[in-house]
Amino acid sequence: MELPFAESWKIKMVEPIRKSTREEREKWLKEADYNVFMLKSDYVYIDCLTDSGTGAMSDRQWAAMMTGDESYAGARSFYELKDTIKRITGFDYVLPTHQGRAAENVLFSHLVKPGDRVPGNSHFDTTKGHIESRKAFAIDCTVDEAKNTQLEYPFKGNVDLKKLEAELKEHSDKIPFIIVTITNNTAGGQPVSMENLRGVRALADKYGKRVFFDSARFAENAYFIKKREPEFKDATIKEIAREMFALADGMTMSSKKDGLVNMGGFIATRWEDVYEGAKQYLIPFEGFLTYGGMNGRDMAALAVGLDENTEYDMLETRIHQVEYLAKKLDEYGIPYQRPVGGHALFIDADKVLDQVPKEEFPGERLSIELYLEAGVRGCEIGYMLADRDPVTRQNRFEGNDFLRLCICRRTYTDNHMDVIAAALKNVYDRRHEIKHGVKIKWEAELMRHFTVKMDLIED
Ligand code: F0G
């Protein structure tokens, strides 16, 4: 008999979680103005809100924390982290930050001016926020295949090179750089192929532009390249990562994802001028050059995490679990962004709740229903997250409307996946009774989905 698949680790420490009753959840959600971000985590049974900073560290990472050097200047932990980043990415210059959006803030303070245009593939909301708050524009050049959730296409994260070239041709003088997000979170944790990254590089060279990678999930991207691009089937994850980064001029990183730590980020680049420019903002915003918002112990844990997560077995275990949940949804016929991505399932809320008008945010309603059903917390990645158009102030309904269910790294077991799937099935089975969504009571101007206050519209 062939042996079944099993995790490439065993569990050394556990944290209790608690179920609640439906009555309790109704009360808590109302108090949270129907925004799951406003719920206390004690009120959540299985938390799929994000894979960001929510994973479990390994024994090697915890051990590394004890060796952290907390010196203000010149910390050994910084130099060890810098060496690891250089080995994995090839970049010489490293600026640590407290998380990914801080890296964006520092880098964009140096590079983005009012009126600029920054083309890329579905910029993440903080990336878009940091561009738009500087009165510049984030130009989405994602391939159209990403919009059709039922289409099986191996690299839905790709940049549409025709769209990118049109933008470069028309607005070259306004474009400070191109940003490619690997994997493409907003489109469903979807990978970008090496072929596509090469195409972006060629266009960037043709128009004399630099390319930065938003690298939050670069290791998962490398895993998909290995699995789906025949040229790389025998390459190691570290070899693929080096080859991807060879096509970029620099990166921003949220270490809370593929760095396997709970907090942290960095900027890395091959260019001294980028380093020199960004460095001036690092010191006032984040901290001195050799800690920039991170403890020495956290930099030590990150160096180990980056190494661990660029090993095949770790990524195979992780993505296998995401695929396991996806298979269950296939059994029940629940539509999600196909094929399943690296860090999450993106349920097609528009399709599931097809009676709920766009103006009533189906993705928000689906996240409410799933929480009420079983205490499982996902979050909307859709019309609410898309924010309003900065010029017209209209809601943006052009993209997809998803309920995202993130799978934390090394945190839950497949039994938890079974609970999530069953809860979703129960909601799905009564989808025809759900006719309305939510009404906004209060919203922030930017990144509104985190703090929006809503009312439930009764069916
Ligand atoms: N870029 C991508 C692709 C991201 O997914 C995130 C965060 C960031 C940048 C910002 O990094 O949180 O460390 O400041 N994504 C989280 C998520 C929040 O839930 O997808 P950060």
Side-chain angles (χ1 to χ4, degrees), residues 50 99-101 104 124 126 185 214 217 254 257 404:
T50 179
Q99 62 184 100
R101 68 199 67 184
E104 293 163 359
F124 184 66
T126 59
N185 180 3
D214 174 349
R217 299 176 184 85
S254 167
K257 286 85 168 173
R404 185 184 73 167

Side-chain angles (χ1 to χ4, degrees), residues 434-453:
I434 304 169
K435 300 196 171 64
H436 289 290
V438 295
K439 198 166 69 200
I440 296 176
K441 281 200 298 192
W442 178 87
E443 65 183 281
E445 197 170 323
L446 275 179
M447 294 184 233
R448 64 180 175 177
H449 75 292
F450 289 119
T451 52
V452 64
K453 293 182 181 182

